[in-house]
Amino acid sequence: MSDSKDELRAVQAALGAEHAAVYGYGVVGARIGEGRRAEARTAYDAHRARRDELQRAVRDLGGEPEPSAPAYALPFAVPDSAAAVRLATELEERVAGVYADLVRASTGARRGSAAEALREAAVRAARWRGGSVAFPGLAERAAGSGTSAPATPKA
């Protein structure tokens, strides 16, 4: 059974991840090749919808949704389409990690929604990467990323 404060923290973390993913997909969309632009747009729209859903969830839990940062530091430079594909993969892997935390911290319908979001992120990551990992949202942490936040807000 989850503690409501832990659940609120996990929902806020997922919201922060979605804010960063929306920002990151703006960069992906600007650099991605024409052949994968529709895929990037679909992912961008999905992250915007999840972000909006999480803002409502934070309010439902009695919290105030964390706002998006004006900008986020990317994990690496994105000068071309190949780097945009790597960024999209990284964004999805990090979002999957945050949703894995939310699955652990929540129950009921919210847990089901978090599990669905985790699955969607894992599928998108596999498409971008061209292959899958055994435990989406967990394997990336074992590899030493040390954080589940998709990007760092710029000061």
Side-chain angles (χ1 to χ4, degrees):
M1 185 67 63
S2 71
D3 174 89
S4 63
K5 288 182 182 178
D6 289 340
E7 186 174 12
L8 178 57
R9 266 192 301 274
V11 172
Q12 287 279 29
L15 174 58
E18 291 294 7
H19 282 315
V22 168
Y23 178 88
Y25 268 103
V27 175
V28 169
R31 298 283 190 247
I32 197 75
E34 187 62 40
R36 297 194 83 178
R37 191 158 289 145
E39 186 177 358
R41 179 61 187 197
T42 298
Y44 174 79
D45 290 343
H47 287 292
R48 287 182 57 203
R50 289 283 180 191
R51 177 203 60 200
D52 295 349
E53 178 184 318
L54 289 165
Q55 288 173 327
R56 287 187 295 275
V58 167
R59 287 186 190 98
D60 290 347
L61 289 167
E64 182 63 33
E66 291 293 327
S68 177
Y72 292 83
L74 301 175
F76 48 82
V78 185
D80 56 26
S81 184
V85 169
R86 285 194 324 275
L87 178 59
T89 302
E90 179 81 9
L91 292 169
E92 297 299 347
E93 288 172 347
R94 291 182 179 192
V95 166
V98 173
Y99 279 113
D101 291 344
L102 184 53
V103 167
R104 283 189 296 275
S106 60
T107 59
R110 189 164 290 116
R111 176 179 266 177
S113 179
E116 177 66 16
L118 169 57
R119 184 195 66 77
E120 289 172 4
V123 168
R124 280 191 299 268
R127 285 185 182 139
W128 286 116
R129 183 187 312 104
S132 63
V133 296
F135 296 102
L138 301 178
E140 296 78 22
R141 290 169 185 233
S145 72
T147 181
S148 57
T152 305
K154 288 184 180 177

